[in-house]
Amino acid sequence: MTCPALPDGFDFTDPDINQHRVPLPELALLRRTEPVCWIPQQPGTTGFNDGGYWAVTRHADVKEVSVHPETFSSTTNTAIIRFHPDIDPSGIEGQKLIMLNMDPPEHTRLRQIVQRGFTPRAINAMQQTLRDRAERIVSSARKEGSGDFVRDIACELPLQAIAELIGVPQEDRARIFEWTNKMIAYDDPELGITPETGTQSAVELMMYAMGIAEERKGCPAHDIVTQLVNAEGQGNLSSDEFGFFVLLLAVAGNETTRNATSHGMHALLTHPDQWELYKERRPHTAADEIVRWATPVMSFQRTATRDTELGGAKIAEGDRVGIFYSSANNDPEVFDQPEMFDVLRDPNPHLGFGGGGPHFCLGANLARLELDLVFNAIADTVPGIRLVGEPRRLRSAWLNGVKELPVQYA
């Protein structure tokens, strides 16, 4: 059983393909011809030995899968669509302790606790601090004259935001950045990160976070961590649960916003009319268009809990289902001229923060704020920024990552 619309052996999760490009033409082909299509995989290549997965490419079908966890489980095989081929089955099993890979009711319990850290009041309380940091980050980059936008600017504000949220001292924040990089770079041999190194980095980050939780239990403070681990009468996180929550934040809140920022800068500079428009009008719609355009998480997966039908395909219980946000965010049934980068696009029902349902991104408003702050700071401080080289992409099965973006600041 293969998809006749695609070349033999084509797999949307192949990190060699994604290192060079997002396979948007092939995704568009499936949307037109076979919107829910079986993609075969060779045993021993992905961490799963079940023959393959169903690729879901239409906006409406991605939403359908996302809002029905009773039929499409995040826990059974986790939400990660492709692991390193050498991963041990116990390694996949251990991923189920992260909220991303849980189903209700356990997911509901944890989300109700941690969402207290992402209320409008909590985000607003961080706004001035993050604005000041954004301005300092961009000013420091300007002094260098030229450099790597990813390292100099894109990676800094998301890291500062997550560290601010969980109370990481300034002097420890570089360690969070290093651990996070190693956790997600296992598919990119250029970075020299082995799966074992990635696992060790995840353990070190968790232990660090668990130490913060224990410290707050012994000495409460007026911060979000104390609310999460010491919320008497309202439920609370154990130290272990807090550790796994920080592990999720390190990728979902740090890597994704960093890559949205990098892709957003590249898009603005390769669409100079949009950069001029942005500098003149500073539209708040820009953040969502950057997320749609970038789609930092290209895909996640679910597993069918029963025989079902989707988009004309008969899906069997136990089948994996890949939901391709990159495809949904370019669906012409939903977006007028999706191939156009338009910072004024409104409405913009993109699925870059997920397709709705229980796993809709908790930090969506924080990500929008960060993008708004950093691009305003860039427009104010280095309005003449320009590209001096092509972006270098991360080799990854499911992240749309940028490793390097050479720019001239002034």
Side-chain angles (χ1 to χ4, degrees), residues 158-171:
L159 174 64
Q160 295 286 345
I162 297 306
E164 190 74 20
L165 193 68
I166 62 174
V168 176
Q170 194 71 31
E171 62 269 20

Side-chain angles (χ1 to χ4, degrees), residues 185-244:
Y186 55 81
D187 272 330
D188 197 324
E190 183 181 303
L191 299 177
I193 306 299
T194 65
E196 293 76 17
T197 301
T199 299
Q200 181 60 33
S201 295
V203 170
E204 290 175 5
L205 175 58
M206 280 190 57
M207 295 298 292
Y208 180 86
M210 289 163 64
I212 292 176
E214 286 299 314
E215 182 181 305
R216 291 300 192 278
K217 287 180 179 180
C219 186
H222 295 290
D223 61 14
I224 294 300
V225 180
T226 301
Q227 292 182 38
L228 296 182
V229 300
N230 269 353
E232 292 190 22
Q234 303 175 49
N236 64 299
L237 297 181
S238 68
S239 295
D240 286 0
E241 288 172 336
F242 182 74
F244 282 110

Side-chain angles (χ1 to χ4, degrees), residues 330-353:
N330 284 275
D331 190 338
E333 293 295 316
V334 177
F335 301 97
D336 182 39
Q337 295 183 294
E339 72 283 358
M340 300 290 291
F341 179 66
D342 178 9
V343 295
L344 299 179
R345 188 182 295 275
D346 188 27
N348 191 345
H350 68 82
L351 304 186
F353 293 124

Side-chain angles (χ1 to χ4, degrees), residues 19-212:
Q19 184 175 21
H20 299 288
R21 64 186 179 94
V22 179
L24 294 178
E26 292 84 358
L27 290 166
L29 179 63
L30 289 199
R31 282 198 309 270
R32 294 192 305 268
T33 61
E34 198 167 350
V36 180
C37 179
W38 179 258
I39 306 296
Q41 293 177 316
Q42 293 299 314
T45 60
T46 68
F48 303 104
N49 292 311
D50 50 11
Y53 63 90
W54 294 95
V56 179
T57 54
R58 290 191 306 201
H59 189 281
D61 292 332
V62 171
K63 288 189 69 174
E64 177 72 11
V65 171
S66 301
V67 301
H68 288 291
E70 72 283 0
T71 303
F72 299 102
S73 168
S74 297
T75 297
T76 307
N77 285 302
T78 79
I80 305 302
I81 197 166
R82 182 174 183 142
F83 289 100
H84 191 279
D86 296 333
I87 193 170
D88 187 90
S90 64
I92 298 179
E93 192 65 25
Q95 297 276 336
K96 297 179 182 180
L97 296 170
I98 299 173
M99 194 169 67
L100 174 71
N101 302 318
M102 292 180 178
D103 293 326
E106 182 61 10
H107 175 272
T108 306
R109 181 187 74 83
L110 287 176
R111 186 175 175 108
Q112 286 176 343
I113 298 171
V114 300
Q115 69 187 6
R116 292 196 292 268
F118 296 92
T119 63
R121 181 178 180 181
I123 301 304
N124 287 336
M126 298 170 62
Q127 184 166 340
Q128 189 57 51
T129 297
L130 294 180
R131 177 178 287 107
D132 293 342
R133 294 243 168 97
E135 291 170 356
R136 287 203 298 270
I137 289 165
V138 178
S139 293
S140 295
R142 181 185 60 182
K143 293 174 184 176
E144 298 299 318
S146 64
D148 172 18
F149 180 85
V150 177
R151 181 195 64 229
D152 298 340
I153 293 179
C155 73
E156 284 293 327
L157 193 61
L159 174 64
Q160 295 286 345
I162 297 306
E164 190 74 20
L165 193 68
I166 62 174
V168 176
Q170 194 71 31
E171 62 269 20
D172 287 348
R173 296 184 180 189
R175 298 168 67 191
I176 305 293
F177 176 65
E178 182 179 356
W179 286 327
T180 304
N181 274 351
K182 291 178 179 178
M183 283 163 46
I184 57 91
Y186 55 81
D187 272 330
D188 197 324
E190 183 181 303
L191 299 177
I193 306 299
T194 65
E196 293 76 17
T197 301
T199 299
Q200 181 60 33
S201 295
V203 170
E204 290 175 5
L205 175 58
M206 280 190 57
M207 295 298 292
Y208 180 86
M210 289 163 64
I212 292 176

Side-chain angles (χ1 to χ4, degrees), residues 311-386:
K314 295 186 183 300
I315 297 172
E317 179 183 350
D319 284 355
R320 287 186 297 125
V321 176
I323 43 179
F324 285 84
Y325 305 115
S326 294
S327 181
N329 284 345
N330 284 275
D331 190 338
E333 293 295 316
V334 177
F335 301 97
D336 182 39
Q337 295 183 294
E339 72 283 358
M340 300 290 291
F341 179 66
D342 178 9
V343 295
L344 299 179
R345 188 182 295 275
D346 188 27
N348 191 345
H350 68 82
L351 304 186
F353 293 124
H359 287 283
F360 184 80
C361 178
L362 264 174
N365 287 331
L366 178 57
R368 290 186 181 103
L369 174 63
E370 291 175 54
L371 291 169
D372 189 54
L373 293 177
V374 78
F375 282 106
N376 268 283
I378 293 167
D380 287 338
T381 308
V382 287
I385 185 173
R386 59 186 178 87

